[in-house]
């Protein structure tokens, strides 16, 4: 072995450590033959397990209700009876369970917040209540905010059905995003003006994703952006591709 | 509409039209169930296969699964069908085609000559009668060779796409992942980045970064920043260093419209990319991605099952002599392919159909975390597709893509596959690996951890 090779391991570690400051990608993992060293193989499995658990951990509406500290809540389910069905039948996850439709008080609400489990109940448990509270605080005091709807086995478009049943003019769906291996607790927010089941399309929504402090968007920043978008949506009478988030500068 | 039927288990099962028959004959798959197209029982599924086996291949030319008048992909399929190439199998049924494909009569030369005579529906149909091993055995016999700065698809070779994605397209982060992949011998199919934004400026910055590295180290490969085709056309007009023009495509006019593309637009991109002539050993300049479920997801499937629609996307691809085509097989999620078993089956079908139609097929062997799959499924798929002779696979650092939030094969996985199957990189790239000191005496990738190697300047320069 030459002298240079003998000192290589130490300086390799320094090289990869300096490069890792620029990316979360799993670089410089080294090799055992052609395969990964044991430590990295197990780290990948641990990250995958966290993501899988995030998908399959049951949603506990009590966690969100208690974090909302006294705010009125209503619990609903989608038409998907269980997780297995939910994963294979997005159409059912977009539709309210018929029994639960009757629990929604129709009134002249300006907005309804829907907290939906989506693909990560962990994201919802950790972030949703804080975003609802911070956003509500930033809305004009004369806005009529419906009770927060806590929805199980829910897709984004379930918010259309809920808002329609409540007679709400706007829906904000806070939903657990598809978990990656580096982020299993990411919350998304979808804003829809005048939602109509079956007629509203994804192009009619505005989305904030990656709400996930401290690595992603903070609760307060998400709330500020959401409240701004909501006021502008009401002024314009629409959401979607024609309503841009102007709180961040556009790319040149 | 014609009706097809077969009697099985004391019951006669009937299927409405070729589209209904093809859908019912498909292996169990969550997407077809979601679309309401799946067979309603296990026996009905097998009955559909009995009926499908009896259908003459010529029937597929007479009964388009989506009407000629309403869909430009159907028009492309019908108008470009090569009757002379079809002649050797024109008298066969689907069942007989399966046996012919498995026989010694089907070899690299006869299969290459047959490709323009086959339609997507014919290859989709025969795939539904084949077992996983059949799909491997036949695909392995097909050779499709393409070239730009490296040659893809030669026997005994496996190329890789190096995918150094970054959630904010940070140049230093991309460079770090690029270095990691090159040191592990990856990148001969393409160095391809999925950008976080489709902004022309951001895409241009990444193109310049990749072009600079390829040029500085004289790497015989090509770059691609996977933006919308209109962005590429715009950038080519502005003199950006575009090697390969990328586009996601699907198997119906309406699904392509949901991607914002038309055949006319692809024609324009094809002309523009070819006119740049940036290749050195060949001029295949397009790169397409496909994947089962996209037409259903866009509500644009016209009652055709997801595998048959996927095969129709290959008719679009082959019009443009692409360098690379890959199916991103497990990307969309379990509502289309539920678990490792369904993803594996789809991967083998897509690879088989694409190759039989004459395409340089590679795969993004992948899954999302809400599908029932794990890294053992990646290993199984990789091994079978390696045996089946896939042109290339997509590789990410540690198999974890931090921008798209899904799991794919890793650079290590590609090393494994080359090792166990005796596969080598593209010849031009392999020679370069030797020149740059990354091959050992046996021609294997050396375990160069990094710091002493000249390539590390890529990382050091940008990360400083």
């Amino acid at each position: 072995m030459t002298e240079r090779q003998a000192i290589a391991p130490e300086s390799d570690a320094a090289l990869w450590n300096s490069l890792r400051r620029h990316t979360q990608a799993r670089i410089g993992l080294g090799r055992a033959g052609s395969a990964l060293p044991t430590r990295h193989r197990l780290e990948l499995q641990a990250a995958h397990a966290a993501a899988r658990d995030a998908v399959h951990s049951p949603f506990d509406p009590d966690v969100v209700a208690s974090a909302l500290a006294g705010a009125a809540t209503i619990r609903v389910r989608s038409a998907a009876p269980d997780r297995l069905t939910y994963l294979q039948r997005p159409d059912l996850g977009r539709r309210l369970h018929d029994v639960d439709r009757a629990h929604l008080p129709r009134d002249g609400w300006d907005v309804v917040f829907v907290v939906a489990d989506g693909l990560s109940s962990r994201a919802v448990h950790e972030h949703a209540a804080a975003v609802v509270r911070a956003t509500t605080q930033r809305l004009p005091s004369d806005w009529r905010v419906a009770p927060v709807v806590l929805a199980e086995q829910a897709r984004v478009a379930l918010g259309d059905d809920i808002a329609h049943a409540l007679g709400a003019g706007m829906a904000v769906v806070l939903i657990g995003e598809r978990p990656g291996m580096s982020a299993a607790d990411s919350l998304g927010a979808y804003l829809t003006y005048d939602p109509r089941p079956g007629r509203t399309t994804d192009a009619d929504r505005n989305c904030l994703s990656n709400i996930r402090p401290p690595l992603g968007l903070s609760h307060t920043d998400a709330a500020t952006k959401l409240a701004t978008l909501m006021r502008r949506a009401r002024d314009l009478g629409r959401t979607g591709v024609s309503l841009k988030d102007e709180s961040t500068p556009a790319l040149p | 509409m014609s009706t097809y039927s077969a009697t099985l288990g004391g019951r006669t099962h009937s299927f409405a039209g070729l589209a209904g028959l093809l859908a019912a004959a498909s292996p169990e798959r969550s997407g077809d169930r979601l679309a309401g197209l799946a067979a309603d029982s296990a026996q009905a599924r097998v009955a559909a296969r009995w009926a499908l086996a009896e259908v003459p291949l010529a029937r597929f030319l007479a009964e388009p699964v989506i009407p000629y008048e309403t869909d430009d992909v159907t028009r492309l399929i019908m108008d470009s069908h090569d009757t002379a190439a079809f002649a050797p199998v024109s008298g066969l049924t689907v069942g007989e085609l399966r046996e012919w494909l498995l026989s010694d009569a089907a070899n690299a030369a006869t299969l290459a000559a047959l490709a323009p005579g086959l339609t997507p529906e014919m290859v989709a149909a025969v795939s539904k009668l084949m077992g996983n091993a059949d799909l491997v055995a036949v695909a392995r016999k097909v050779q499709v060779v393409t070239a730009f700065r490296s040659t893809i698809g030669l026997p005994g070779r496996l190329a890789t796409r190096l995918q150094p994605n970054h959630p904010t397209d940070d140049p230093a982060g991309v460079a770090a992942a690029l270095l990691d992949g090159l040191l592990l011998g990856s990148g001969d199919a393409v160095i391809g980045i999925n950008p976080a934004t489709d902004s022309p400026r951001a895409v241009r910055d990444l193109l310049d970064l990749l072009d600079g590295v390829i040029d500085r180290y004289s790497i015989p490969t090509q770059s691609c920043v996977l933006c919308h085709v209109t962005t590429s056309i715009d950038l080519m007009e502005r003199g950006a260093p575009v090697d390969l023009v990328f586009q996601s495509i699907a198997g119906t006019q309406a699904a392509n419209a949901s991607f914002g593309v038309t055949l006319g637009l692809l024609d324009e991109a094809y002309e523009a990319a070819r006119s740049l002539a940036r290749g050195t050993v060949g001029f295949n300049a397009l790169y397409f991605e496909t994947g089962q479920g996209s037409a259903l997801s866009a509500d644009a499937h016209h009652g055709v099952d997801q595998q048959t629609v996927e095969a129709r996307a290959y008719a679009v691809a082959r019009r443009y002599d692409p360098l690379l085509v890959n199916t991103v097989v497990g990307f969309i999620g379990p509502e289309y392919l539920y678990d490792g078993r369904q993803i594996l089956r789809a991967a083998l079908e897509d690879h088989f159909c694409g190759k039989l139609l004459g395409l340089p097929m590679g795969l993004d062997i992948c899954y999302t975390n809400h599908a029932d799959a794990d890294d053992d499924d990646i290993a199984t798929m990789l091994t079978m597709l390696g045996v089946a002779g896939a042109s290339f696979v997509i590789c990410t650092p540690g198999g974890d893509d931090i921008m798209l939030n899904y799991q794919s094969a890793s650079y290590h996985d590609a090393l494994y596959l080359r090792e166990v199957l005796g596969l080598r990189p593209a010849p031009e790239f392999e020679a370069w690996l030797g020149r740059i000191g990354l091959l050992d005496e046996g021609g294997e990738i050396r375990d160069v951890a990094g710091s002493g190697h000249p390539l590390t300047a890529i990382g050091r320069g940008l990360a400083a």
Side-chain angles (χ1 to χ4, degrees), chain A residues 8 24 61 69 93 97 120 167 195 199 219 229 236 238 240:
Chain A
Q24 283 187 284
H97 196 290
S120 171
R199 201 189 69 190
H219 299 153
L229 282 170
L236 284 169
R238 63 174 181 268

Side-chain angles (χ1 to χ4, degrees), chain B residues 34 72 161 196 341-342 357:
Chain B
L34 176 63
D72 64 7
R161 168 176 161 195
R341 178 185 165 125
Q342 290 191 9
L357 291 170

Side-chain angles (χ1 to χ4, degrees), chain A residues 31-114:
Chain A
R31 285 164 57 181
S34 290
L36 285 174
T38 305
R39 178 166 73 89
H40 290 300
R41 176 166 162 73
L42 293 176
E43 278 178 5
L44 277 161
Q45 291 189 348
H48 183 242
R52 292 291 289 157
D53 285 349
V55 171
H56 290 281
S57 314
F59 177 44
D60 183 354
D62 286 341
V63 171
V64 181
S66 69
L68 283 168
T73 58
I74 302 172
R75 299 174 190 198
V76 299
R77 295 157 291 168
S78 77
D82 53 47
R83 205 61 174 163
L84 195 147
T85 312
Y86 171 80
L87 289 173
Q88 297 187 69
R89 292 289 305 270
D91 53 329
L92 297 180
R94 296 184 190 119
R95 223 170 57 219
L96 259 176
H97 196 290
D98 286 333
V99 172
D100 294 344
R101 191 183 304 273
H103 302 155
L104 296 170
R106 196 172 174 83
D107 204 342
W109 310 110
D110 289 298
V111 60
V112 57
F113 288 91
V114 178

Side-chain angles (χ1 to χ4, degrees), chain B residues 81-99:
Chain B
H81 182 249
D82 184 333
T83 312
F86 181 57
V89 298
S90 62
L92 303 185
T93 62
V94 178
E96 288 164 349
L97 177 63
R98 173 178 174 274
E99 294 178 353

Side-chain angles (χ1 to χ4, degrees), chain B residues 142-158:
Chain B
V142 182
Q143 282 172 25
V144 180
V145 179
T146 55
F148 193 79
R149 289 189 202 109
S150 56
T151 308
I152 311 296
L154 292 169
R157 307 272 175 176
L158 172 81

